[in-house]
Amino acid sequence: MSNYWLMKSEPDAFSIEDLHALNQSPWDGVRNYQARNFMRAMQTGDQVFFYHSSCPTPGIAGTARVCKEAYPDHSSWDPTSAYFDPKSTPEDPRWFMVDIEFVEKWQKVVTLAELKQSPALSDMILTKKGSRLSIMPVTQEEWDYIIKILKT
DNA sequence: GCCAACGTTGGC
DNA sequence: GCCAACGTTGGC
């Protein structure tokens, strides 16, 4: 039994194509407690919508899978990293990351506009006004519905 | 514990 | 580039 998630990334920084090229990658740099807590709830095999944000056509670009469960994000205690946080230490790590592996790049992006248009998805955190959360759970119903949009 | 100021996210 | 919404920080 696997769970479903959505993870946002700016394609200029890290895109679904980048994940495809690497096959798998750590999801580092999350510095938001809610998003961190969701990552800590992820289990190996959980499925992930890979969302492209802050780009000309924001939307879901493909899927990935959790391949390593949460472990300390060591970039948080690296002073040379852009993600450095002096309050996080190896003894008491504050930030965590998971590893995800590439599953599929979609033939088309399921756009934010399409998602917002669907009454069935009106409860998604993503489609709510002002929501900036970068990692969020997705229900089975929402997952299935979005796959249906993809195939239309 | 309150809340103003600030920094960031992310759609448009 | 603008700006609304949000999270965090720090003075009191």
Side-chain angles (χ1 to χ4, degrees):
Chain A
M1 187 57 198
S2 80
N3 300 306
Y4 303 101
W5 307 93
L6 181 144
M7 300 173 90
K8 291 183 187 172
S9 181
E10 298 187 20
D12 284 350
F14 188 70
S15 69
I16 186 88
E17 292 86 0
D18 294 329
L19 180 62
H20 192 185
L22 295 170
N23 190 44
Q24 65 179 57
S25 170
W27 199 272
D28 63 352
V30 171
R31 297 292 178 267
N32 170 282
Y33 290 103
Q34 233 185 321
R36 179 202 68 180
N37 293 343
F38 283 134
M39 274 203 297
R40 297 186 79 171
M42 290 181 183
Q43 298 176 305
T44 301
D46 284 0
Q47 292 184 268
V48 176
F49 282 139
F50 196 116
Y51 180 93
H52 283 173
S53 66
S54 296
C55 57
T57 309
I60 301 168
T63 56
R65 190 184 293 122
V66 175
C67 62
K68 182 175 178 181
E69 293 176 12
Y71 59 104
D73 181 346
H74 44 75
S75 70
S76 68
W77 58 70
D78 171 6
T80 66
S81 167
Y83 301 129
F84 177 61
D85 178 355
K87 289 173 186 154
S88 182
T89 64
E91 295 73 32
D92 186 18
R94 172 173 300 212
W95 302 113
F96 289 78
M97 57 190 176
V98 297
D99 287 358
I100 62 166
E101 64 182 344
F102 176 81
V103 174
E104 184 178 33
K105 182 195 170 184
W106 290 350
Q107 291 305 306
K108 64 158 193 169
V109 172
V110 173
T111 67
L112 179 63
E114 288 177 280
L115 299 174
K116 280 185 169 171
Q117 219 173 281
S118 309
L121 303 176
S122 60
D123 285 338
M124 281 187 87
I125 298 163
L126 182 76
T127 58
K128 297 239 193 281
K129 188 183 174 205
S131 172
R132 303 182 317 181
L133 192 60
S134 66
I135 296 176
M136 67 193 77
V138 173
T139 67
Q140 172 93 61
E141 291 73 24
E142 290 161 351
W143 182 278
D144 292 344
Y145 192 86
I146 290 166
I147 298 295
K148 224 169 73 184
I149 296 175
L150 171 67
K151 293 185 172 157
T152 53

Short mmCIF file of all heavy atoms in Angstrom, two decimals, chain A residues 43-81:
data_model
loop_
_atom_site.label_atom_id
_atom_site.label_comp_id
_atom_site.label_asym_id
_atom_site.label_seq_id
_atom_site.Cartn_x
_atom_site.Cartn_y
_atom_site.Cartn_z
N GLN A 43 7.25 6.89 2.66
CA GLN A 43 7.78 5.53 2.74
C GLN A 43 8.29 5.11 1.37
O GLN A 43 7.78 5.57 0.34
CB GLN A 43 6.67 4.57 3.20
CG GLN A 43 6.16 4.90 4.59
CD GLN A 43 5.02 4.01 5.00
OE1 GLN A 43 4.01 3.91 4.31
NE2 GLN A 43 5.19 3.33 6.13
N THR A 44 9.26 4.24 1.39
CA THR A 44 9.80 3.70 0.15
C THR A 44 8.66 3.16 -0.72
O THR A 44 7.81 2.42 -0.21
CB THR A 44 10.81 2.58 0.44
OG1 THR A 44 11.86 3.14 1.24
CG2 THR A 44 11.41 2.03 -0.84
N GLY A 45 8.66 3.55 -1.97
CA GLY A 45 7.62 3.08 -2.89
C GLY A 45 6.48 4.07 -3.06
O GLY A 45 5.69 3.94 -4.00
N ASP A 46 6.39 5.07 -2.17
CA ASP A 46 5.35 6.08 -2.34
C ASP A 46 5.52 6.78 -3.68
O ASP A 46 6.64 7.03 -4.13
CB ASP A 46 5.44 7.14 -1.23
CG ASP A 46 4.91 6.64 0.11
OD1 ASP A 46 4.47 5.48 0.17
OD2 ASP A 46 4.93 7.42 1.08
N GLN A 47 4.40 7.13 -4.29
CA GLN A 47 4.44 7.76 -5.62
C GLN A 47 4.32 9.27 -5.51
O GLN A 47 3.63 9.80 -4.63
CB GLN A 47 3.34 7.17 -6.49
CG GLN A 47 3.60 5.70 -6.82
CD GLN A 47 2.56 5.15 -7.76
OE1 GLN A 47 1.55 4.61 -7.33
NE2 GLN A 47 2.80 5.32 -9.05
N VAL A 48 4.99 9.96 -6.43
CA VAL A 48 5.15 11.41 -6.33
C VAL A 48 4.81 12.08 -7.67
O VAL A 48 5.32 11.67 -8.72
CB VAL A 48 6.61 11.76 -5.95
CG1 VAL A 48 6.82 13.27 -5.93
CG2 VAL A 48 7.01 11.14 -4.61
N PHE A 49 3.96 13.10 -7.60
CA PHE A 49 3.80 13.99 -8.75
C PHE A 49 4.96 14.99 -8.72
O PHE A 49 5.18 15.64 -7.70
CB PHE A 49 2.49 14.77 -8.66
CG PHE A 49 1.26 14.00 -9.05
CD1 PHE A 49 0.09 14.14 -8.31
CD2 PHE A 49 1.25 13.15 -10.15
CE1 PHE A 49 -1.07 13.45 -8.67
CE2 PHE A 49 0.10 12.47 -10.52
CZ PHE A 49 -1.06 12.61 -9.77
N PHE A 50 5.65 15.12 -9.84
CA PHE A 50 6.76 16.08 -9.94
C PHE A 50 6.22 17.35 -10.58
O PHE A 50 5.87 17.38 -11.76
CB PHE A 50 7.88 15.47 -10.80
CG PHE A 50 9.21 16.18 -10.68
CD1 PHE A 50 10.31 15.52 -10.14
CD2 PHE A 50 9.37 17.49 -11.12
CE1 PHE A 50 11.55 16.15 -10.02
CE2 PHE A 50 10.60 18.14 -11.01
CZ PHE A 50 11.69 17.46 -10.46
N TYR A 51 6.13 18.41 -9.78
CA TYR A 51 5.49 19.67 -10.19
C TYR A 51 6.53 20.72 -10.53
O TYR A 51 7.48 20.93 -9.76
CB TYR A 51 4.60 20.15 -9.03
CG TYR A 51 3.84 21.44 -9.28
CD1 TYR A 51 2.54 21.42 -9.78
CD2 TYR A 51 4.41 22.67 -8.99
CE1 TYR A 51 1.84 22.60 -9.98
CE2 TYR A 51 3.72 23.86 -9.19
CZ TYR A 51 2.43 23.81 -9.69
OH TYR A 51 1.73 24.98 -9.88
N HIS A 52 6.36 21.36 -11.67
CA HIS A 52 7.24 22.45 -12.06
C HIS A 52 6.62 23.80 -11.67
O HIS A 52 5.53 24.13 -12.12
CB HIS A 52 7.49 22.43 -13.57
CG HIS A 52 8.47 21.38 -14.01
ND1 HIS A 52 8.73 21.09 -15.33
CD2 HIS A 52 9.28 20.55 -13.28
CE1 HIS A 52 9.65 20.13 -15.40
NE2 HIS A 52 9.99 19.77 -14.17
N SER A 53 7.33 24.55 -10.82
CA SER A 53 6.82 25.84 -10.35
C SER A 53 7.68 26.98 -10.88
O SER A 53 8.80 26.78 -11.36
CB SER A 53 6.80 25.87 -8.82
OG SER A 53 8.12 25.81 -8.31
N SER A 54 7.13 28.19 -10.75
CA SER A 54 7.87 29.41 -11.15
C SER A 54 8.44 29.31 -12.55
O SER A 54 9.63 29.54 -12.77
CB SER A 54 9.00 29.71 -10.15
OG SER A 54 8.47 30.00 -8.90
N CYS A 55 7.58 28.94 -13.48
CA CYS A 55 8.00 28.78 -14.88
C CYS A 55 6.81 29.18 -15.75
O CYS A 55 5.72 29.41 -15.24
CB CYS A 55 8.42 27.34 -15.12
SG CYS A 55 7.15 26.11 -14.74
N PRO A 56 7.01 29.27 -17.06
CA PRO A 56 5.92 29.78 -17.93
C PRO A 56 4.61 29.00 -17.78
O PRO A 56 3.54 29.62 -17.78
CB PRO A 56 6.50 29.62 -19.34
CG PRO A 56 7.98 29.72 -19.15
CD PRO A 56 8.26 29.09 -17.81
N THR A 57 4.67 27.69 -17.70
CA THR A 57 3.45 26.89 -17.53
C THR A 57 3.58 25.99 -16.32
O THR A 57 3.99 24.84 -16.44
CB THR A 57 3.16 26.04 -18.78
OG1 THR A 57 3.21 26.87 -19.94
CG2 THR A 57 1.79 25.39 -18.70
N PRO A 58 3.25 26.50 -15.12
CA PRO A 58 3.36 25.66 -13.94
C PRO A 58 2.40 24.48 -14.02
O PRO A 58 1.27 24.63 -14.51
CB PRO A 58 2.99 26.60 -12.78
CG PRO A 58 2.49 27.85 -13.38
CD PRO A 58 2.79 27.86 -14.84
N GLY A 59 2.85 23.32 -13.55
CA GLY A 59 2.00 22.14 -13.56
C GLY A 59 2.79 20.88 -13.30
O GLY A 59 4.01 20.92 -13.08
N ILE A 60 2.07 19.74 -13.35
CA ILE A 60 2.70 18.45 -13.08
C ILE A 60 3.33 17.92 -14.36
O ILE A 60 2.67 17.82 -15.40
CB ILE A 60 1.67 17.45 -12.53
CG1 ILE A 60 1.05 17.99 -11.23
CG2 ILE A 60 2.32 16.08 -12.28
CD1 ILE A 60 -0.16 17.23 -10.75
N ALA A 61 4.63 17.60 -14.28
CA ALA A 61 5.40 17.25 -15.47
C ALA A 61 5.68 15.76 -15.58
O ALA A 61 6.15 15.29 -16.62
CB ALA A 61 6.71 18.03 -15.48
N GLY A 62 5.40 15.02 -14.51
CA GLY A 62 5.69 13.59 -14.53
C GLY A 62 5.60 13.00 -13.15
O GLY A 62 5.11 13.64 -12.22
N THR A 63 6.09 11.76 -13.03
CA THR A 63 6.00 11.08 -11.74
C THR A 63 7.35 10.53 -11.31
O THR A 63 8.25 10.30 -12.12
CB THR A 63 4.98 9.91 -11.79
OG1 THR A 63 5.36 9.02 -12.84
CG2 THR A 63 3.58 10.41 -12.01
N ALA A 64 7.45 10.32 -10.00
CA ALA A 64 8.66 9.77 -9.39
C ALA A 64 8.23 8.85 -8.25
O ALA A 64 7.02 8.71 -7.99
CB ALA A 64 9.55 10.90 -8.87
N ARG A 65 9.22 8.25 -7.62
CA ARG A 65 8.91 7.31 -6.54
C ARG A 65 9.93 7.51 -5.42
O ARG A 65 11.12 7.75 -5.69
CB ARG A 65 9.01 5.87 -7.09
CG ARG A 65 8.50 4.81 -6.15
CD ARG A 65 8.73 3.40 -6.73
NE ARG A 65 7.94 3.12 -7.92
CZ ARG A 65 8.45 2.76 -9.09
NH1 ARG A 65 9.76 2.65 -9.25
NH2 ARG A 65 7.66 2.50 -10.11
N VAL A 66 9.48 7.42 -4.19
CA VAL A 66 10.39 7.54 -3.06
C VAL A 66 11.25 6.27 -3.01
O VAL A 66 10.71 5.16 -2.99
CB VAL A 66 9.61 7.69 -1.73
CG1 VAL A 66 10.58 7.69 -0.54
CG2 VAL A 66 8.76 8.96 -1.76
N CYS A 67 12.58 6.44 -3.03
CA CYS A 67 13.46 5.26 -2.98
C CYS A 67 14.35 5.23 -1.75
O CYS A 67 15.04 4.25 -1.50
CB CYS A 67 14.28 5.14 -4.26
SG CYS A 67 15.40 6.51 -4.57
N LYS A 68 14.33 6.32 -0.96
CA LYS A 68 15.03 6.29 0.33
C LYS A 68 14.29 7.19 1.30
O LYS A 68 14.02 8.34 0.99
CB LYS A 68 16.48 6.74 0.17
CG LYS A 68 17.28 6.68 1.46
CD LYS A 68 18.74 7.01 1.26
CE LYS A 68 19.48 6.99 2.60
NZ LYS A 68 20.91 7.33 2.44
N GLU A 69 13.97 6.65 2.47
CA GLU A 69 13.18 7.41 3.43
C GLU A 69 14.01 8.48 4.12
O GLU A 69 15.25 8.50 4.00
CB GLU A 69 12.53 6.43 4.43
CG GLU A 69 11.49 5.55 3.71
CD GLU A 69 10.86 4.48 4.59
OE1 GLU A 69 11.04 4.53 5.83
OE2 GLU A 69 10.20 3.58 4.03
N ALA A 70 13.35 9.36 4.85
CA ALA A 70 13.98 10.58 5.35
C ALA A 70 15.25 10.34 6.15
O ALA A 70 15.32 9.44 6.99
CB ALA A 70 12.97 11.33 6.22
N TYR A 71 16.25 11.14 5.85
CA TYR A 71 17.53 11.13 6.58
C TYR A 71 18.02 12.58 6.62
O TYR A 71 17.55 13.42 5.85
CB TYR A 71 18.54 10.20 5.90
CG TYR A 71 18.88 10.52 4.46
CD1 TYR A 71 20.09 11.12 4.13
CD2 TYR A 71 17.98 10.23 3.42
CE1 TYR A 71 20.42 11.41 2.80
CE2 TYR A 71 18.30 10.52 2.09
CZ TYR A 71 19.51 11.11 1.80
OH TYR A 71 19.82 11.40 0.49
N PRO A 72 18.95 12.88 7.54
CA PRO A 72 19.34 14.29 7.73
C PRO A 72 19.86 14.93 6.45
O PRO A 72 20.62 14.32 5.70
CB PRO A 72 20.44 14.21 8.79
CG PRO A 72 20.12 12.97 9.56
CD PRO A 72 19.57 12.01 8.54
N ASP A 73 19.43 16.16 6.21
CA ASP A 73 19.89 16.94 5.05
C ASP A 73 21.21 17.60 5.44
O ASP A 73 21.22 18.63 6.10
CB ASP A 73 18.82 17.98 4.70
CG ASP A 73 19.22 18.83 3.49
OD1 ASP A 73 20.40 18.81 3.10
OD2 ASP A 73 18.34 19.52 2.95
N HIS A 74 22.31 16.98 5.02
CA HIS A 74 23.63 17.45 5.49
C HIS A 74 23.99 18.82 4.92
O HIS A 74 24.88 19.47 5.44
CB HIS A 74 24.71 16.42 5.15
CG HIS A 74 24.60 15.84 3.77
ND1 HIS A 74 24.96 16.54 2.66
CD2 HIS A 74 24.13 14.65 3.34
CE1 HIS A 74 24.74 15.80 1.59
NE2 HIS A 74 24.22 14.64 1.97
N SER A 75 23.29 19.26 3.87
CA SER A 75 23.57 20.61 3.36
C SER A 75 23.23 21.66 4.42
O SER A 75 23.73 22.78 4.37
CB SER A 75 22.80 20.88 2.06
OG SER A 75 21.42 21.00 2.30
N SER A 76 22.41 21.28 5.40
CA SER A 76 21.99 22.25 6.43
C SER A 76 23.13 22.59 7.38
O SER A 76 23.09 23.62 8.05
CB SER A 76 20.79 21.72 7.21
OG SER A 76 21.15 20.61 8.02
N TRP A 77 24.14 21.72 7.50
CA TRP A 77 25.26 22.06 8.38
C TRP A 77 26.56 22.29 7.61
O TRP A 77 27.64 22.29 8.16
CB TRP A 77 25.43 21.03 9.52
CG TRP A 77 25.66 19.61 9.11
CD1 TRP A 77 26.78 19.10 8.52
CD2 TRP A 77 24.78 18.50 9.31
NE1 TRP A 77 26.64 17.75 8.33
CE2 TRP A 77 25.42 17.35 8.81
CE3 TRP A 77 23.49 18.36 9.86
CZ2 TRP A 77 24.84 16.09 8.83
CZ3 TRP A 77 22.92 17.10 9.89
CH2 TRP A 77 23.57 15.98 9.38
N ASP A 78 26.42 22.53 6.31
CA ASP A 78 27.56 22.89 5.47
C ASP A 78 27.57 24.41 5.25
O ASP A 78 26.72 24.93 4.53
CB ASP A 78 27.43 22.15 4.13
CG ASP A 78 28.46 22.61 3.10
OD1 ASP A 78 29.34 23.42 3.47
OD2 ASP A 78 28.37 22.17 1.95
N PRO A 79 28.51 25.10 5.87
CA PRO A 79 28.52 26.57 5.81
C PRO A 79 28.66 27.10 4.38
O PRO A 79 28.29 28.26 4.12
CB PRO A 79 29.74 26.98 6.64
CG PRO A 79 30.14 25.76 7.40
CD PRO A 79 29.63 24.57 6.66
N THR A 80 29.15 26.28 3.47
CA THR A 80 29.32 26.76 2.09
C THR A 80 28.06 26.55 1.26
O THR A 80 27.98 26.98 0.12
CB THR A 80 30.50 26.04 1.40
OG1 THR A 80 30.17 24.66 1.25
CG2 THR A 80 31.77 26.17 2.21
N SER A 81 27.08 25.86 1.83
CA SER A 81 25.86 25.57 1.07
C SER A 81 24.88 26.73 1.16
O SER A 81 24.78 27.42 2.18
CB SER A 81 25.20 24.31 1.63
OG SER A 81 23.89 24.18 1.12
#
